[in-house]
Amino acid sequence: MAVVREQLPQGRYGRSADQRADRRLKITGAVLGALAVVLLGWYGYHSIAGQSVSGELIKFKRISATSVEAHLEVRKKRDATGACTLRSLAESGAEVGRKEVRFTKGETRVDEVVTIRTTESATATELVGCTTD
């Protein structure tokens, strides 16, 4: 009986087309992956470092069925002016109150307790965002 080989002798004719394609795909994938990481890092840095105002809702307390007291802290550059928007939500998720809190120049940290009037009983209050003028 004769033994029939289905493969070429190893190392005799160089790499096969499949091996070259696999290597090319690995290199392309590595380059695209590195590019994606760089772009994501660039976007993240500029979205955080580019903000001159950042706000944080420290706590909130329901005072009555028609009002909520919220403790807001804003960090900003000394010469920045702008506003932060707070909203109160009912148990159903519907917005029942909204308030825009303005801040002026002079301080780098603003710590303020504000009262938000609501149309019905609120179960949550959230900071929508802060913007500069």
Side-chain angles (χ1 to χ4, degrees):
M1 279 194 148
V3 176
V4 178
R5 273 203 254 182
E6 294 182 17
Q7 296 179 341
L8 297 174
Q10 194 172 20
R12 186 168 185 182
Y13 299 105
R15 291 183 172 184
S16 71
D18 286 343
Q19 288 174 329
R20 283 190 297 264
D22 286 347
R23 184 166 190 257
R24 192 171 289 151
L25 279 174
K26 286 178 185 177
I27 291 171
T28 303
V31 168
L32 289 175
L35 182 64
V37 167
V38 167
L39 286 174
L40 185 63
W42 178 80
Y43 174 76
Y45 173 77
H46 283 286
S47 68
I48 293 172
Q51 292 180 346
S52 61
V53 174
S54 69
E56 182 180 356
L57 180 64
I58 305 299
K59 65 179 181 176
F60 70 92
K61 182 169 121 183
R62 194 177 86 187
I63 303 299
S64 69
T66 58
S67 66
V68 174
E69 194 175 77
H71 182 183
L72 176 67
E73 183 178 288
V74 179
R75 287 175 222 78
K76 64 182 187 66
K77 294 180 181 174
R78 187 169 299 282
D79 59 344
T81 62
C84 289
T85 304
L86 296 165
R87 74 176 184 168
S88 291
L89 305 172
E91 189 172 356
S92 65
E95 184 176 297
V96 294
R98 180 177 281 256
K99 182 160 187 154
E100 187 174 275
V101 181
R102 307 269 324 150
F103 50 86
T104 58
K105 296 180 183 179
E107 298 178 17
T108 58
R109 185 173 168 266
V110 178
D111 198 18
E112 194 168 340
V113 176
V114 296
T115 302
I116 305 168
R117 292 188 317 170
T118 61
T119 56
E120 61 182 78
S121 184
T123 58
T125 298
E126 65 183 9
L127 175 64
V128 177
C130 296
T131 59
T132 57
D133 292 336

